[in-house]
Amino acid sequence: MVSCCPRPRLCSRSSAYTLALGLGFVTLGTSRIVLLKFSANAENKYDFLPASVNLLAEALKLLFCLVMSVRVIVREGRSCRDLGCASSSSFLISLKWAVPAFLYFLDNLIIFYVMTYLQPAMAVLFSNFVILTTAVLFRVVLKRRLSWVQWASLVILFLAIVSLTTGSGGSQNSIAVPGLHSNPLSTPSNSCILYTQLLEQMKNSSASASWTSSLPGQAWRDRMVGKLQSLGVGHVLLLLQCFISAMANIYNEKILKEGDQLTESIFIQNSKLYVFGVVFNALTLGLSSEARGLTIHCGLLHGHNLYSLALVLVTAALGLSVAFILKFRDNMFHVLTGQITTVLVTGFSLFLFDFRPSLDFFLQAPVVLLSIFIYNGSRAKDPEYSLQQEKLRVINGEVFQRSRGDGEELELLTKTNTDSESDEESL
C-alpha cells in the first residue's frame, strides 16, 4: 500500500503532537508577557500580590493533574499508592520534586519584577541567555554532547546579548501602558482600607527609615543595592531568572525521564510537583508579614483585575505545556521554540507598549536570532538521547512506517550505536 504522505515522519502522530505543543507554548508564552504588562497599574506596579497569581495557578494545575491521575489509576487498575504518599519511604522519594518546585517558584516570582524594569521586547530578547545556561547544564548534568559549532554560536549569542544590553540605552526601561488598565474586581472593605493606610504610613514614616539605617550591616546593604542599580536591576534579575529557569527545567527533565519514571504517567508526576508548588507559594503569603496582613484583611484576590485573572489561567496552562515538552521532547526544544515568542512579543511591543527600538537593536537582535539558528542547525549526534526518544515513540504507540511488524522496533532500541562522533567533532 502506497502512503499518501511523501515524508511519513512529518505526517506521524508524534509530529502532530510536537507541532501542537510548540504552537500552544508559543501562544501561551506570548499571552503571558502581554498580560503581565496589562495587569500592572498606571505606575507600572502591581496592586495585587504576585505570589497570589502563582498560588492560584499552581492550585489549578494541581487540581487538573489530580483528576487526570485518578482517571489513569482507575483505567489501568492501579492503586492510589502510586501517588507517592502510601509510606514514609515513598514520601521521602517524592521529596525530590521539591527541588524543581522551589526553582519554578522563584522563576515565576522574579518575572513580575523583571517586567517592572524592562520593556517586554527587551526582556524576552535578553532572556535568550537561558540558552547558554541550559546548554552548559545540558553538558554537565545530562551529559549531552555539543558540537564545536554550537559552542561557537553560544559565544556569539553571549556577546550579542551583552552588546545589546549596553547599547540600547533608555529604550530598555519599562513604562506603563496608557489606557489599558482594568479596575479591581471588588471594592475593598473598611478593614482592608485601614490596613493599607497603615502600611503606607509605616513605609513613609521617617522613624522607620532611621530605625533601618541603624541596623548592623545596613550601610553595606545600601552599597550593594546601589551597585545593582548601577548595573541595572532588571538585567540582574533577568540573569538570575535565566539560571534558575535552566536549573529547574534541566532537573525536572532528568527526574521525569530517569529509570522507570520514563513510563510513568505525566499527571501522577506533576501532581507531586504541584503540591510543593502550592506549598512554597502559600508559605510566601504566610511568612511575609505584609503579604499575610493583606491576605487576611483584604482577601487573596485583593487588587486583582480581569487581566490578572486571565494571567492565572494562562500561567497554569503554560506550566502544563512546559511539563509536556520536558516529558515528550526536551529542554532545547523548549528554549528554541521560545524564539518565536521573542519575535511575536517584539512585534506586539511596537504597537501596544510604545516600544521605540534604537539602531543598535535592529543591528544586534538579528545576530541573537542567527546564533540561535546556527546552534539548532549544528546538533551533534547523541546516541543516548536518540535511544531515549525512540523509546518514547514506542511507549506513546508511535508505529514506524518502515517496520515490518517483526520486532524491528525492539531491535532498534537494543542495538548498539556504532556511529558515535569523535572527540574532535563534539565535546
Side-chain angles (χ1 to χ4, degrees), residues 383-423:
E384 292 184 5
Y385 173 71
S386 300
L387 179 63
Q388 187 180 75
Q389 290 302 112
E390 295 294 349
K391 286 181 179 179
L392 281 173
R393 285 170 59 81
V394 173
I395 291 170
N396 296 334
E398 181 69 25
V399 179
F400 294 116
Q401 297 292 333
R402 65 179 181 275
S403 174
R404 299 185 301 273
D406 55 359
E408 185 176 353
E409 293 92 342
L410 182 60
E411 180 182 356
L412 175 65
L413 295 180
T414 56
K415 184 176 64 176
T416 303
N417 191 297
T418 58
D419 298 328
S420 59
E421 291 189 319
S422 65
D423 292 339

Side-chain angles (χ1 to χ4, degrees), residues 147-206:
S147 67
W148 290 109
V149 176
Q150 286 181 303
W151 284 115
S153 66
L154 290 176
V155 173
I156 296 173
L157 173 65
F158 173 76
L159 295 176
I161 291 178
V162 171
S163 178
L164 191 62
T165 302
T166 58
S168 297
S171 63
Q172 301 178 21
N173 298 329
S174 182
I175 59 175
V177 183
L180 288 175
H181 306 287
S182 178
N183 294 325
L185 295 175
S186 59
T187 303
S189 62
N190 293 332
S191 174
C192 179
I193 294 175
L194 290 174
Y195 183 77
T196 52
Q197 289 177 349
L198 179 61
L199 279 179
E200 289 298 324
Q201 291 176 2
M202 292 176 62
K203 290 179 180 179
N204 297 329
S205 65
S206 58

